[in-house]
Amino acid sequence: MKKVILTTLLALASSMFASATVITLDFEGVGDLNAVGNFYNGGAGTNYGVAFDGPTLALVDSDAGGSGNFANEPTGDTIMFFTSASASTMSVAAGFTTGFSFFYTSSSAGSVDVFDGVNGTGALLATLGFAAQHTGGGCVGDPSGDFCNWSAVGVAFAGTAKSVVFSGVAGSTGFDNITFGSETATGAVPEPSTYAMLGAGLVTLIAARRRS
Ligand SMILES: [Ca+2]
Ligand SMILES: [Ca+2]
Ligand SMILES: [Ca+2]
């Protein structure tokens, strides 16, 4: 009986997706350097009908045994990034409305475009540019991680969106708490400490020393 109820609830959650239901992807459980792919589209995660293309990977904090050079992530130990291309595409065949938002940390400027067709096709509904800020506020690691400053950003739009293209420099931007149906990303990030800012130089999200 419980299983039936759970299944029904999951089906309801999927069917409600095109409405203004707020859904957040936290990437926990995808696994270090694994493709996000269909994790949220019938894979091991909750089935929200959200599919990511090949260059989109999950990254686990090196402090939690993964390869990530980041700190203060909004949820858990896992974030999303793209490393082998200059863009990453997320498609939601059932569509979503109202707004789109997320947390990010980045060592380079980038942008996010929301389209009304899948795979970055159709009309452009909204564009959101973001600046480099990964060491902003003199943040420090948890205990390690150069990408320690996270910002919540979002856009509102009219109509129904079916895909989002994340663009920037490969390996230089991390995303977490990707939120559909709201222009305000849910979650909280620790206030950065007031340490002196260290010279960062060229940094990427992959930690220099990987565990094997
Ligand atoms: Ca962490
Ligand atoms: Ca860390
Ligand atoms: Ca997370």
Side-chain angles (χ1 to χ4, degrees), residues 61 63 70-71 142 144-145:
D61 191 350
D63 294 314
F70 58 83
D142 62 355
S144 65

Side-chain angles (χ1 to χ4, degrees), residues 61-64 68-73 141-147:
D61 191 350
S62 60
D63 294 314
N69 178 24
F70 58 83
N72 306 321
E73 59 276 21
D142 62 355
S144 65
D146 289 328
F147 288 69

Side-chain angles (χ1 to χ4, degrees), residues 11-180:
L12 192 64
S14 293
S15 67
M16 286 171 68
F17 198 65
S19 72
T21 305
V22 176
I23 286 166
T24 299
L25 309 183
D26 64 12
F27 303 100
E28 302 309 314
V30 181
D32 192 45
L33 299 178
N34 287 339
V36 181
N38 288 313
F39 186 84
Y40 294 111
N41 189 34
T46 303
N47 189 356
Y48 294 126
V50 181
F52 288 82
D53 71 354
T56 314
L57 306 182
L59 188 61
V60 173
D61 191 350
S62 60
D63 294 314
S67 307
N69 178 24
F70 58 83
N72 306 321
E73 59 276 21
T75 50
D77 305 307
T78 311
I79 67 172
M80 178 277 266
F81 82 127
F82 51 93
T83 184
S84 62
S86 59
S88 166
T89 304
M90 176 184 75
S91 292
V92 184
F96 59 99
T97 61
T98 310
F100 177 72
S101 49
F102 55 90
F103 282 83
Y104 82 96
T105 182
S106 188
S107 60
S108 63
S111 63
V112 167
D113 296 313
V114 181
F115 294 92
D116 72 357
V118 296
N119 297 318
T121 63
L124 181 64
L125 299 181
T127 293
L128 192 166
F130 56 82
Q133 44 61 290
H134 69 301
T135 58
C139 59
V140 293
D142 62 355
S144 65
D146 289 328
F147 288 69
C148 47
N149 185 43
W150 290 81
S151 305
V153 291
V155 287
F157 58 84
T160 300
K162 292 193 173 177
S163 63
V164 175
V165 177
F166 302 86
S167 304
V169 178
S172 72
T173 307
F175 302 88
D176 203 2
N177 289 29
I178 287 180
T179 303
F180 306 94

